[in-house]
Amino acid sequence: MIVSPEAFLFAMIVGRKVSLFASRYMYSVGASLMAETSFVKQIVVGVVVAVASAMIFRWINLPGPPQPQPAAPPTSQGISQPPEPPQSPPTSQTMAPSLARLESRPTEMGTGRYHDNGNGTIIDTQTNLMWADRDNGSDIDWPNAKRYVANYTAGGYMNWRLPSVSELHNLVDITLSPSDTACKLPNGIHAVRRVPAPIFLSCPFLWSYETRDVLAGRVVMSDGSLNWLHQGNRPLYRVLPVRSRE
């Protein structure tokens, strides 16, 4: 057993105190022999006390049984995280103009979306709308456009109406090559259209039923742009009847 220097010094001091006390006691009773051997007793007692003190200190400082350590919480390094999806770049759908929405719509020509009934009507199988296969063919203002669709009877149907702005937008497909129309702009250039092949437009400027006071919405069927114009305007404007498919 190894005795630490601190314990040994403490034992020597205590042993010396004890031995001095014993020597004085023995001297007081006249034991001169014991007094002569007081130095030997001091050594013996010091060693005994040192050993005892070392054992006491060892017992006091004896470490207890190992305590279980709490498990560390799992960290992000030990957990397999799924990879983050790549950020999609901004698309044209986040842009304000209606033309952007048309650019994002894929071309659907040749996929059977439009069905020609052969009776002056076209079915759009995607929107479930029935369109006239051609416009009215001449200049018309908005009030007369309303009268025209009210009296339209293609396919034997009587409930034709003016289309909405969004319905006209849905017909425009700017991925198609532009096609010339019969009408000319003031600069002498033929206006163009981008609509499905089964539908014929003599001019690309179509009235919608949507109004703002004395204005009505007109959609350009070459790029999908919308203009609010006076309902009395008529040069180059056309009407394309539409109805819900029954």
Side-chain angles (χ1 to χ4, degrees):
M1 178 179 61
I2 299 175
V3 180
S4 64
E6 294 83 356
F8 184 80
L9 179 60
F10 175 80
M12 289 297 295
I13 294 172
V14 174
R16 185 173 178 80
K17 295 289 185 180
V18 173
S19 62
L20 287 175
F21 175 79
S23 296
R24 289 173 183 174
Y25 175 78
M26 290 168 34
Y27 180 78
S28 65
V29 295
S32 59
L33 180 60
M34 293 299 293
E36 292 175 357
T37 59
S38 62
F39 181 73
V40 176
K41 291 192 296 180
Q42 290 176 13
I43 295 175
V44 173
V45 172
V47 171
V48 172
V49 173
V51 172
S53 299
M55 294 180 67
I56 291 172
F57 272 96
R58 179 180 176 84
W59 177 76
I60 293 174
N61 296 326
L62 186 64
Q67 299 296 324
Q69 298 295 326
T75 62
S76 58
Q77 296 179 351
I79 301 176
S80 176
Q81 299 291 340
E84 295 184 359
Q87 296 295 325
S88 301
T91 64
S92 59
Q93 292 181 350
T94 62
M95 301 166 58
S98 59
L99 180 57
R101 296 195 300 271
L102 298 173
E103 290 175 343
S104 67
R105 184 162 53 86
T107 303
E108 299 185 63
M109 294 302 298
T111 61
R113 172 180 170 180
Y114 298 97
H115 176 69
D116 190 344
N117 293 323
N119 60 356
T121 64
I122 304 294
I123 296 296
D124 182 348
T125 59
Q126 183 182 89
T127 61
N128 209 33
L129 292 175
M130 177 181 290
W131 292 90
D133 66 354
R134 61 188 59 244
D135 62 28
N136 65 306
S138 60
D139 296 346
I140 191 170
D141 58 21
W142 190 82
N144 282 306
K146 284 191 65 177
R147 295 187 188 96
Y148 179 85
V149 296
N151 296 317
Y152 197 66
T153 58
Y157 300 101
M158 302 294 294
N159 56 344
W160 295 90
R161 58 176 174 81
L162 285 171
S164 67
V165 170
S166 62
E167 289 169 343
L168 290 174
H169 276 165
N170 199 41
L171 279 182
V172 181
D173 189 346
I174 65 170
T175 63
L176 297 174
S177 298
S179 300
D180 287 343
T181 60
C183 65
K184 291 183 179 181
L185 300 174
N187 57 9
I189 299 176
H190 282 273
V192 300
R193 61 177 175 85
R194 286 186 173 97
V195 295
I199 297 176
F200 174 77
L201 296 182
S202 60
C203 208
F205 310 110
L206 297 183
W207 287 115
S208 75
Y209 72 74
E210 298 179 42
T211 60
R212 293 180 178 177
D213 295 328
V214 297
L215 306 179
R218 183 207 66 176
V219 177
V220 182
M221 303 301 287
S222 57
D223 60 10
S225 59
L226 169 65
N227 305 108
W228 295 94
L229 302 170
H230 194 279
Q231 298 176 11
N233 290 334
R234 62 188 307 269
L236 306 180
Y237 300 162
R238 303 288 189 266
V239 56
L240 183 68
V242 69
R243 61 182 297 275
S244 297
R245 181 184 180 184
E246 294 179 350

